[in-house]
Amino acid sequence: MSRCYLAWAKDERIREKGADGGFVTATLVSALETGFIDAALVVEKKSVYEGIPVLTSNPEVVKECAGSLHAAPINLTKYVVEYAAEKRIGLPTKPCDARGIIEQAKRRQVNLDNIFMIGLNCGGTLHPLRMREMAADLYGLDPDSVVKEEIKEGKIFLESKEAGGKEKEAGIKIDELEQKGYGRRDACKSCVTKIPTSSDLACGNWGVPKGEEKKTFVEVLTAKGEAILKNAIDSGYVCIEEAPGEGIEMRKKIDAGMRKLAESWKERMDAVNALSRSERFDFYVNALKNCIHCGACKDVCPVCACEKDAKCLDMNDERDSYAISMYNVLRIFHLMDSCIHCGQCEDVCPVDIPLTLIQRRFSERMQRHLGYTPGMSVDEKPPLYETELRWSAESMVK
Amino acid sequence: MVKRLAEEKWEPKILAFCCNWCSYAGADAAGMERRQLPPAIRVIRVMCSGRIDPAFVLMGLLEGADAVLVTGCHIGDCHYVNANNKTRNRYEFLKEFVDELGLEPDRLWLRWISASEGALFADMVREVTEKIKKIGPSPLRRDWKK
Ligand SMILES: Cc1cc2nc3c(=O)[nH]c(=O)nc-3n(C[C@H](O)[C@H](O)[C@H](O)COP(=O)(O)OP(=O)(O)OC[C@H]3O[C@@H](n4cnc5c(N)ncnc54)[C@H](O)[C@@H]3O)c2cc1C
Ligand code: SF4
Ligand code: SF4
Ligand code: SF4
Ligand code: FES
């Protein structure tokens, strides 16, 4: 199925506004105008530090939302479940959006036949607060004056309009930023799915040859992806050409490099690795005892499908005074097979519990043990729900 | 006079979930055969090991059990077709969880025991009690420090 193209929007304005060639925007616009989809879910820029999801059937709104927001670490999964489960929709999906949607489909919260996932490669997002600190500390800019951010050739560029009307642009290497403790979110630094292979299309700038800017590299991954692409071409919204072999190779190489980097971040950031068994126990108890049971981490989690009738809520009682609350124990336990390490839970936690690390440590070892990666294929059920073990049974029983 | 907890001698508390048809009957058989069982054990009877939600096991540990035993009919003998296969699947998750949390792996046990295996039941309880006496109270217990 997999075929690779370079593609771009025919409409010059979309192409100009789009992050790479406006292909994603043009495809969504054409699907809306031809009635191929009922609605599109895109991300509207409020400022450099804020992007909000909008569900719309107005092509003009979609055009307004062209471009990539790197400091808007949202996950679109729960918006699809809550507002668009009955609709035929198209949306841009970072790898973690696509994996979340697949997990919801496994739990019968959405019907994948109605969802067209235009995947975006993802090098990672920045936490808005870190981004503001970074602008002030390292770029010497007033955070509120920053009007544009861009990631190019491994550097983050910030463009600001200072009060006097003077324009400034500065770029600093991501490696350098991250050495100093700024840069991408922890979850993204250690995220190993950079190309959204569980989407219908995978789009990005990796693999676009030098000198060919304003084109999007597109990989067709499913029949649905092919259908929405064909619709966009036939209705005259996008142009495509065969991707050059060197581009395909280049993309593969960058992806492999990024994944290797992520593995090394994982090692470097995991403070628990060096601890003994009892120290590890103390770490978990101390980290989780700050929880105020606001429930935010559960609400945003793209793989949890329990809504209000959840065991972790039902079985939790503030009066228990367990060393770790039933809520936390059950959330960690239930996600061992399904956590996709997206870091949404940590982003919203009001008491800054290092949830990404905790969820990752428990789930990664389980997923390795199971030989299972969540969010990749709707045909693989969550192993915790299975009757049979995924591996040869006899060797496992004590 | 009320005795303070800290003055008492620590005795392990072991929670055993037993399925009605096999392992509970096995425990019964152990009693009928007048086998000595350490007093550490507390049995909770469930209709089938498939009814043992991992949440029960985790709550048992949080409540301060020094070890939790999950027991049921042998694979193939479950009275509800194949529910103990699910038990076996969930147990793998519990094992990884307990290990990662920093509890000793010996605080969690899975054993298949039939109605006639009273001796096996008694042996298991003795074995677990001895192991737990060696590793001491669970760090999740608030009334005992190691
Ligand atoms: C956070 C982020 C990191 C990325 N990192 C890489 C990378 O490392 N390598 C690479 O090859 N490509 C990366 N991309 C993809 C790339 O920036 C372009 O989005 C892609 O090439 C498509 O270009 P386009 O012009 O066709 O898209 P456009 O026509 O500009 O459409 C982009 C769509 O993405 C939506 N969007 C913007 N921000 C977000 C967000 N934070 N979350 C979800 N949707 C959003 C917009 O609403 C719009 O609908 C990244 C994208 C994002 C959002
Ligand atoms: S977790 Fe991965 S896919 Fe999600 S935003 Fe971060 S890098 Fe992108
Ligand atoms: S537990 Fe946290 S990191 Fe894991 S999938 Fe849910 S929100 Fe993402
Ligand atoms: S977001 Fe943080 S404080 Fe709120 S329930 Fe989750 S872990 Fe607890
Ligand atoms: S009836 Fe005994 S394990 Fe199911």
Side-chain angles (χ1 to χ4, degrees):
Chain A
M1 178 61 68
S2 155
R3 259 170 293 121
C4 299
Y5 303 98
L6 297 181
W8 59 93
K10 243 186 204 164
D11 182 327
E12 276 307 320
R13 286 202 316 281
I14 299 180
R15 191 171 182 190
E16 196 40 51
K17 196 162 189 317
D20 290 312
F23 167 80
V24 173
T25 302
T27 303
L28 290 171
V29 167
S30 81
L32 277 177
E33 292 202 333
T34 54
F36 190 87
I37 54 174
D38 306 329
L41 182 60
V42 285
V43 183
E44 185 187 330
K45 179 175 172 180
K46 286 290 175 190
S47 76
V48 166
Y49 310 106
E50 191 183 4
I52 55 163
V54 279
L55 181 68
T56 179
S57 46
N58 181 353
E60 293 310 314
V61 175
V62 176
K63 287 181 199 167
E64 270 311 299
C65 295
S68 294
L69 298 169
H70 297 98
I74 41 174
N75 190 296
L76 297 174
T77 306
K78 283 285 170 85
Y79 299 95
V80 177
V81 174
E82 201 151 327
Y83 301 104
E86 307 296 321
K87 292 193 169 77
R88 193 171 154 96
I89 64 160
L91 76 164
T93 49
K94 301 183 294 305
C96 57
D97 298 312
R99 295 179 71 189
I101 290 169
I102 299 261
E103 285 302 302
Q104 294 293 332
K106 289 180 188 176
R107 292 162 174 79
R108 309 231 165 101
Q109 305 297 301
V110 294
N111 178 358
L112 274 191
D113 294 344
N114 294 333
I115 302 175
F116 292 83
M117 297 193 273
I118 322 274
L120 307 177
N121 295 353
C122 185
T125 48
L126 290 91
H127 194 287
L129 293 179
R130 288 297 95 68
M131 180 87 145
R132 292 181 75 95
E133 289 167 9
M134 203 173 86
D137 299 354
L138 299 182
Y139 289 74
L141 298 171
D142 169 10
D144 290 319
S145 74
V146 177
V147 288
K148 204 174 153 210
E149 47 84 9
E150 205 179 349
I151 300 186
K152 261 192 318 215
E153 282 144 20
K155 285 186 182 168
I156 298 182
F157 290 87
L158 297 186
E159 199 182 302
S160 97
K161 280 201 170 62
E162 299 268 334
K166 225 170 63 195
E167 283 192 26
K168 268 207 276 190
E169 199 196 61
I172 304 181
K173 276 198 136 142
I174 297 181
D175 287 344
E176 192 184 323
L177 294 169
E178 291 180 352
Q179 296 298 342
K180 294 183 177 151
Y182 298 85
R184 297 168 298 158
R185 297 152 72 235
D186 286 358
C188 296
K189 277 191 276 196
S190 47
C191 172
V192 289
T193 32
K194 298 296 181 189
I195 294 179
T197 46
S198 52
S199 302
D200 298 309
L201 297 171
C203 311
N205 46 38
W206 295 343
V208 179
K210 266 214 158 54
E212 299 251 27
E213 272 81 33
K214 288 294 165 192
K215 287 184 182 175
T216 315
F217 187 107
V218 182
E219 182 181 0
V220 181
L221 294 156
T222 67
K224 266 193 303 164
E226 193 169 274
I228 198 167
L229 174 64
K230 186 166 182 304
N231 179 71
I233 299 168
D234 291 352
S235 55
Y237 281 86
V238 306
C239 307
I240 64 165
E241 62 191 26
E242 219 39 68
E246 42 171 325
I248 298 175
E249 282 311 307
M250 186 162 81
R251 175 172 176 262
K252 254 192 218 149
K253 239 165 92 188
I254 303 176
D255 177 45
M258 291 293 283
R259 297 217 313 249
K260 210 167 133 204
L261 181 65
E263 292 291 353
S264 88
W265 269 116
K266 229 189 270 179
E267 286 281 319
R268 269 183 281 169
M269 292 191 304
D270 190 343
V272 184
N273 241 343
L275 303 181
S276 70
R277 184 182 286 279
S278 68
E279 287 168 339
R280 191 160 78 225
F281 177 84
D282 291 340
F283 170 83
Y284 288 132
V285 170
N286 285 329
L288 291 165
K289 76 165 181 247
N290 297 328
C291 174
I292 56 169
H293 300 110
C294 63
C297 50
K298 172 177 172 299
D299 279 350
V300 292
C301 178
V303 302
C304 169
C306 301
E307 297 185 16
K308 298 275 177 287
D309 302 317
K311 214 173 263 180
C312 63
L313 299 177
D314 282 353
M315 293 188 79
N316 191 57
D317 190 328
E318 291 293 329
R319 293 163 298 185
D320 280 338
S321 75
Y322 293 149
I324 303 175
S325 73
M326 210 51 197
Y327 173 83
N328 286 305
V329 163
L330 280 185
R331 248 189 71 72
I332 294 169
F333 183 81
H334 284 168
L335 288 164
M336 283 174 81
D337 59 347
S338 296
C339 173
I340 55 169
H341 317 128
C342 65
Q344 293 292 319
C345 45
E346 181 166 330
D347 282 350
V348 297
C349 181
V351 290
D352 288 338
I353 297 174
L355 290 167
T356 316
L357 174 66
I358 297 176
Q359 294 284 6
R360 175 195 296 290
R361 280 198 59 95
F362 280 87
S363 58
E364 216 166 50
R365 60 181 286 169
M366 191 68 216
Q367 290 168 14
R368 208 177 309 121
H369 187 37
L370 292 163
Y372 171 81
T373 312
M376 294 326 230
S377 158
V378 74
D379 301 325
E380 287 183 303
K381 294 286 169 279
L384 185 56
Y385 302 167
E386 295 278 12
T387 305
E388 293 297 336
L389 297 166
R390 282 176 65 88
W391 51 80
S392 74
E394 299 323 314
S395 64
M396 288 300 149
V397 182
K398 200 154 135 183
Chain B
M1 204 182 88
V2 183
K3 215 158 117 196
R4 291 184 50 205
L5 274 176
E7 290 164 9
E8 274 173 42
K9 198 167 137 341
W10 169 71
E11 281 293 336
K13 280 186 188 154
I14 294 165
L15 178 62
F17 289 100
C18 296
C19 123
N20 182 58
W21 304 108
C22 290
S23 51
Y24 190 83
D28 225 14
M32 231 116 71
E33 293 159 14
R34 303 247 177 273
R35 291 178 196 282
Q36 283 298 312
L37 287 188
I41 190 147
R42 277 87 172 144
V43 173
I44 294 181
R45 174 161 60 160
V46 287
M47 282 312 281
C48 168
S49 73
R51 179 64 185 94
I52 306 167
D53 189 318
F56 300 170
V57 175
L58 296 170
M59 195 178 235
L61 289 169
L62 290 173
E63 283 283 354
D66 294 305
V68 179
L69 321 184
V70 175
T71 66
C73 315
H74 287 272
I75 293 290
D77 291 350
C78 176
H79 291 50
Y80 305 93
V81 188
N82 60 358
N84 55 3
N85 292 48
K86 296 181 189 173
T87 310
R88 181 168 66 178
N89 187 12
R90 294 170 190 149
Y91 184 78
E92 284 302 318
F93 283 76
L94 282 168
K95 223 168 62 178
E96 293 286 318
F97 182 91
V98 161
D99 193 21
E100 180 57 37
L101 187 63
L103 296 177
E104 295 78 359
D106 275 336
R107 301 203 184 273
L108 197 63
W109 294 70
L110 172 70
R111 281 292 162 89
W112 310 128
I113 294 168
S114 78
S116 59
E117 289 173 328
L120 199 64
F121 190 91
D123 286 350
M124 168 187 73
V125 177
R126 265 198 298 277
E127 187 187 345
V128 177
T129 311
E130 258 156 47
K131 280 245 165 77
I132 294 302
K133 277 198 168 143
K134 242 180 249 148
I135 55 179
S138 161
L140 282 168
R141 278 179 83 157
R142 278 149 294 143
D143 48 351
W144 294 100
K145 286 269 167 281
K146 249 210 244 189

